[in-house]
Amino acid sequence: MRLFKQLAVVFAVLAVAAMAGLLFTFDVIKINWNSFMEIQPSFRAAESPLPVPARSVPVEGPAYVFDQAGNVIVPDNPVKADETSIARGAIFYDINCKMCHGPEGNGKGPLAAFLVEVKPADLTSALVTNQADGELFLTLTNGKGMMPYFVENLSVRDRWDVVNFIRTLEPAQ
Ligand code: HEC
């Protein structure tokens, strides 16, 4: 009989200890142990980055500089239209633009047939040649209407090279 009582006491003590343990196991009582490095504020792949701070200027040059009223200032072309720049621009044009705007820039690339509602612009037309380099640069950066944007595919320098290249395209006779 004594043995039975002693056993009951041991089991009671063990049960209380186990119950107390379960309170922590199932987070009834939660302790924030700092045990995992991955539990911290961080950005995952493909998660939107933080917006740039107001009035900051990209290190690669002013792609988006705003005036006091919040309008985008059209940037000046900082890249001289020399042989290197035009040769680089031609390469990027072949890869990124030719399929829509065509090898001569007249807007008759092989993909143009599939663009039913809005055809690619003729890059040798006054619509384009009358625009400042900076306006074309902003079109490449941000897109325009049905024209896709290239801010992710072409660096700032690459976009200026493409602008310098499309200046060399001659209208068909
Ligand atoms: C998927 C096809 C496509 C590709 C690729 C493409 N464009 Fe365009 N682009 C268009 C279309 C369509 C328009 C007409 C947009 C509109 O009027 O809505 C256009 C318009 C333009 C314009 C005139 C914008 C204006 O002021 O109206 C320029 C300049 C231009 N593209 C340059 C380029 C350059 C340079 C590239 C390569 C870096 C390029 N495009 C790649 C389809 C394309």
Side-chain angles (χ1 to χ4, degrees):
M1 204 52 202
R2 233 190 106 180
L3 181 71
F4 183 77
K5 266 190 181 162
Q6 280 176 339
L7 270 178
V9 169
V10 169
F11 277 121
V13 169
L14 284 178
V16 168
M19 296 266 283
L22 288 177
L23 288 178
F24 294 100
T25 307
F26 290 100
D27 281 347
V28 179
I29 298 172
K30 200 173 158 87
I31 298 176
N32 277 325
W33 303 107
N34 252 344
S35 48
F36 299 107
M37 284 255 289
E38 72 261 29
I39 304 177
Q40 58 173 323
S42 61
F43 287 93
R44 289 164 194 279
E47 199 177 343
S48 299
L50 290 170
V52 293
R55 298 181 61 76
S56 58
V57 176
V59 285
E60 277 197 314
Y64 302 95
V65 181
F66 300 93
D67 64 13
Q68 293 293 327
N71 302 312
V72 178
I73 296 174
V74 176
D76 288 331
N77 188 346
V79 179
K80 225 175 122 237
D82 55 16
E83 234 172 81
T84 315
S85 171
I86 290 169
R88 279 172 54 90
I91 294 169
F92 297 129
Y93 182 89
D94 277 2
I95 297 170
N96 297 288
C97 324
K98 196 166 79 173
M99 65 284 217
C100 286
H101 288 280
E104 288 94 41
N106 55 9
K108 298 205 171 71
L111 244 168
F114 299 97
L115 302 171
V116 182
E117 286 179 24
V118 185
K119 292 287 178 193
D122 179 350
L123 301 181
T124 65
S125 68
L127 167 83
V128 174
T129 51
N130 284 346
Q131 294 189 48
D133 285 0
E135 290 177 283
L136 300 177
F137 175 83
L138 290 176
T139 300
L140 296 194
T141 304
N142 305 321
K144 192 170 181 181
M146 290 300 291
M147 159 73 194
Y149 56 83
F150 287 89
V151 65
E152 289 163 2
N153 300 46
L154 296 172
S155 74
V156 170
R157 165 78 209 242
D158 300 348
R159 275 173 264 152
W160 285 118
D161 289 334
V162 173
V163 169
N164 286 336
F165 169 73
I166 60 181
R167 290 300 191 202
T168 68
L169 293 167
E170 301 273 347
Q173 299 305 312

